[in-house]
Amino acid sequence: MRGAKSAKWVAGAAIIALAATACGGGSGDEGKKNTSGKPEGYVSIDVSEPQKLLMPADTNESNGSYVIRSLFTQLLDFDAKGEIVLTNAESLETKDSKLWTVKLKKGWKFHNDEDVTAQSYVDAWNWYANVENKQQNAFWFSDIKGYADVHPETGAPKADKMSGLKVVDDTTFTIELTEKVPYFNYKLGYSTFAPMPKVFFDDPKGFGLKPVGNGPYSFEKWDRKKLIQVKAWDGYQGPNKAANKGIQFKNYTTVEAAYSDVVSGNLDIIKQVGPRDLPKYKTDLGDGAIDQPYAAVQSLNPAFYTDTFKDVDPKVLQGLSMAIDRDTITKTVLNGTRQPATSFTPPQVKGNQQLDSDFLKYDPAKAKALIKEGGGVPGNKFTIQYNADGGHKEWVTAVCESIRNATGVDCTGDAKPDFATDLEARDNDEVKGMYRGGWVADYPVNVNFLKELYHSKAESNNGRFADKEIDDLMAKGDKADTLEESVAAYQEVEKALVDKMPAIPLWYYRINGGHGKDVDNVKVDFHGDVELTDVTTK
């Protein structure tokens, strides 16, 4: 999600969650003989079943994006501090933030030995954007001139190519935008902008089960709801060539099961430890424990199409926000591993600001008064949807108790068995009240936490929030002359969101995960992902 990792909902960008785990594993007994079945030299990590097939433009959650980024490489990526690093691009230039020229590095291949060319990008982007292909991340191409022709709001497309994409030669293409977008180069770091080989267009669905990419690893197998396995690709030309022989993305039904397997040696890396094991994981894992902040925010998102929150007065949502004792919950239930949010954006992105809003502070008396002033919650109750496989039950229960005690509004959790089921309910407008939102940076600019979530046409706006004033403010930021001016304009967007409350920010994330004794060089990037290509085996 960055994704983007992808734009990512994180179960854990994941996709954001305490973890997005899945099924399988051992008993977790200390000292148990390793029975993981992992090939020698491979590294295993807990990554649940992707929501969709393995296509870059149809993946906007953290599980799928982990796999996508191992198989595909786009024009650029980001370093540990969130600064741009060119990968497949030799250069990316613009004079006016509207016309961009891309030059590719020569010698790059797909895993089937096909050359990666300018046409590989242009054909892929045109296919991703086409409304008939129903890709979740099509909205990401909406800046490009001609997008409206391939992706009209209603009806069939008027063209099969965006007029803003032009191939100059095998290693050069241009991107013309409808309007200037100063941060467009940052967006290109999202894996949804990956190229595709010709074989993709013959059978996209079949390709999604056995993808052929241009990334540091090539696809080996996918045992549905068990594991996905990829192997290091010797022909990779990028700066992040694999230091190991391959990766196993293992699916667990609970984060606790994954943790037990790390302790017992049947899993190398766990992305996020669940609440039950947080108090002891540093002792259990020793030097393998990881504890660091990253660019992600947890939130509660109202589904504005429901009877509960349709036409709700923002005062009600502001009151519910003030009824949540973030300080106590992060210190106790979450064992000090989260920082109460003071904005809609995390500290690690450009433009983050402390809003200093009373609506993000605990005040039971004002909370109750605001809810009453706004007309109350219909039926005086609502639910919070979350994925049961992500370690969320404890804090959702605590949030509900805080709201109930402060205001008398009844709140209960609505658990879905896994992250994929949770996401499908959001995508299909089946959320009954609120849902647990968690967003991890796709690119390190405040725009990613605002436009991708709260623009009326954004794919990841699963609460279906729509406000013309907010859309217009975003358009102003998109048309700014410089990145700095655009970031400043989106800061004004964020201030306006406080009065609208499309979501209730809860806290900023930290990675509280770790690894076992069989691997080394385990590092986490700015958006909370383990840099798998750097991991070595002992």
Side-chain angles (χ1 to χ4, degrees), residues 148-372:
D149 292 330
V150 302
H151 200 109
E153 292 189 18
T154 58
K158 301 174 183 177
D160 59 1
K161 296 179 177 63
M162 290 181 282
S163 58
L165 297 178
K166 302 289 185 184
V167 173
V168 178
D169 56 42
D170 279 352
T171 57
T172 310
F173 68 101
T174 58
I175 310 166
E176 183 179 358
L177 309 182
T178 305
E179 304 281 353
K180 57 187 175 184
V181 180
Y183 57 86
F184 185 73
N185 53 336
Y186 281 86
K187 292 183 69 172
L188 293 175
Y190 183 22
S191 56
T192 203
F193 288 95
M196 280 294 189
K198 295 175 183 177
V199 66
F200 166 76
F201 304 98
D202 297 333
D203 180 12
K205 289 186 177 179
F207 182 96
L209 291 169
K210 297 181 179 180
V212 176
N214 67 325
Y217 298 91
S218 61
F219 179 83
E220 280 194 303
K221 65 178 180 178
W222 185 357
D223 294 338
R224 301 305 290 268
K225 296 188 177 181
K226 293 182 180 180
L227 66 81
I228 295 175
Q229 186 169 299
V230 299
K231 64 178 178 180
W233 185 49
D234 291 339
Y236 185 62
Q237 301 292 318
N240 54 328
K241 194 174 179 67
N244 48 65
K245 293 184 178 180
I247 304 292
Q248 279 192 341
F249 302 98
K250 299 183 67 174
N251 188 25
Y252 287 83
T253 52
T254 68
V255 66
E256 290 80 14
Y259 180 76
S260 293
D261 264 11
V262 171
V263 173
S264 67
N266 286 325
L267 179 69
D268 290 321
I269 302 168
I270 184 169
K271 305 189 310 297
Q272 190 70 49
V273 175
R276 187 194 73 181
D277 298 307
L278 281 174
K280 63 176 183 176
Y281 87 101
K282 290 184 179 180
T283 300
D284 287 347
L285 301 182
D287 292 341
I290 299 172
D291 179 7
Q292 73 178 64
Y294 69 104
V297 176
Q298 184 89 72
S299 62
L300 296 181
N301 294 61
F304 290 98
Y305 53 81
T306 62
D307 291 339
T308 304
F309 295 110
K310 184 178 182 180
D311 300 322
V312 66
D313 190 319
K315 290 179 181 178
V316 173
L317 301 174
Q318 291 162 349
L320 291 174
S321 178
M322 296 183 77
I324 300 171
D325 189 351
R326 295 167 177 78
D327 287 339
T328 297
I329 294 172
T330 54
K331 289 176 182 176
T332 57
V333 179
L334 296 172
N335 204 52
T337 61
R338 302 290 182 268
Q339 176 187 348
T342 57
S343 66
F344 290 86
T345 61
Q348 294 84 356
V349 302
K350 299 179 190 299
N352 169 255
Q353 59 189 334
Q354 184 165 322
L355 294 174
D356 196 30
S357 170
D358 288 342
F359 301 140
L360 298 179
K361 299 174 184 177
Y362 181 56
D363 190 327
K366 288 185 178 180
K368 192 171 185 178
L370 269 173
I371 292 172
K372 182 178 180 181

Side-chain angles (χ1 to χ4, degrees), residues 437-456:
W439 193 256
V440 59
D442 300 310
Y443 55 97
V445 182
N446 59 354
V447 181
N448 185 230
F449 284 80
L450 303 175
K451 186 173 185 179
E452 264 69 66
L453 294 178
Y454 308 122
H455 190 283
S456 61

